[in-house]
Amino acid sequence: MPPAAFLANGLAWLGRYGTQGFALSIFLGLALPQFSAAARPVLPITIFCFTTVVFMRVDLSITAGLLRRPAKLAAACLWLIAAPVLLIGGAFLLVGREGLDPGLVLGLAIMGAAPPIMSSPAVAILYGFEPSLIIASVIVTTTISPVVAPFLVEMLAGAAVPLDRWVLALRLLIFIGGGMAVAAAIRLWLGIERIRAMKANLDGFGVLMYFIFAIAAMDGVTRAALDNPGLVLFMLACAFAVSAAGLLSAWLVLRRLPGSERFMIGYGTGQRNMGLLVAALGAGVSPTTFLYFALAQFPIYLLPWLLRGLAARVRRREAADGR
């Protein structure tokens, strides 16, 4: 078998075991810390590759259709930007930002300011939900994040955490704009039909990138868990609390939306693409901030599996209501 065909078949096989691979990669990173340290330098590359693949595969007709009736899309995007800021900002007001470690404050600020995780549409499809709204919302909020995210990080982090908003904006613009440019070039070269025919291979490539990303993100987590288990448990609790609050708040407030759309907007509210901002900040990320970023991957990788039963109930209720 030619090497190219062997690689294509391998990626297609990997794509069929995506959810298992996601969860396994986190625990491999914890169990093999030497591999996590070796993989950490390629963390920005994995994020750039996944960003490129997402924009390469996007169906522009879906976004264009929602833009012709923009009220729902605008409401979803506004919620996905504002709700995490309000939830995390409210928590800071409640407990006092000054009493928290500055690295944790920056980690939570990055979580609140980042766009929704790019795998949200894939999760919607996995659950059997119609993904148009979450696809368009992720595209729009990710595209505008170079303008919006630096301002939100600065607002949430406060003066105690030094941050150059304009440098961060420029790096995000290069990062996201570069991914969009590469994606556009590939779309012109291959054509959208050939890209659609490569679905299984691209699914496998995405799993591979997430696999490397998860292993790289676990750098230092095992040692931190041994040295300071209380801090690690507190950070894990914070990450899962934001995820739960995002899902619950969207479910309660966005009652005009169908249940599946409310569910996925809530999922995106709590699951944030922190890797974009961490990669853009580079050396400006302290060890404590990186530790929170790493621990925030646990709900991202585990909740698609943990929420399967709840998503199935939402799907059955919609089917019974004829939606």
Side-chain angles (χ1 to χ4, degrees), residues 190-251:
L190 294 179
I192 191 64
E193 293 305 320
R194 287 181 64 187
I195 290 173
R196 286 173 179 163
M198 295 166 61
K199 178 185 182 302
N201 309 107
L202 292 173
D203 286 345
F205 180 76
V207 171
L208 179 62
M209 289 298 101
Y210 262 121
F211 190 81
I212 297 171
F213 172 87
I215 292 175
M218 291 302 104
D219 183 28
V221 173
T222 302
R223 178 172 292 278
L226 294 173
D227 293 345
N228 197 342
L231 177 63
V232 168
L233 288 174
F234 177 68
M235 287 185 170
L236 269 176
C238 288
F240 275 98
V242 172
S243 299
L247 183 61
L248 182 61
S249 61
W251 184 260

Side-chain angles (χ1 to χ4, degrees), residues 107-171:
L108 285 163
I110 289 172
M111 183 178 236
I117 194 72
M118 282 190 157
S119 61
S120 298
V123 173
I125 294 170
L126 177 70
Y127 288 156
F129 294 155
E130 207 291 311
S132 299
L133 181 62
I134 190 63
I135 289 174
S137 300
V138 169
I139 292 168
V140 172
T141 52
T142 301
T143 302
I144 66 174
S145 62
V147 177
V148 175
F151 170 76
L152 296 178
V153 172
E154 186 178 61
M155 181 177 70
L156 285 171
V161 180
L163 185 72
D164 192 325
R165 187 202 318 166
W166 300 110
V167 170
L168 177 58
L170 179 60
R171 289 177 180 173

Side-chain angles (χ1 to χ4, degrees), residues 260-273:
S260 60
E261 292 181 342
R262 265 192 292 164
F263 189 94
M264 289 314 304
I265 294 299
Y267 181 89
T269 303
Q271 311 302 315
R272 314 300 288 181
N273 194 356

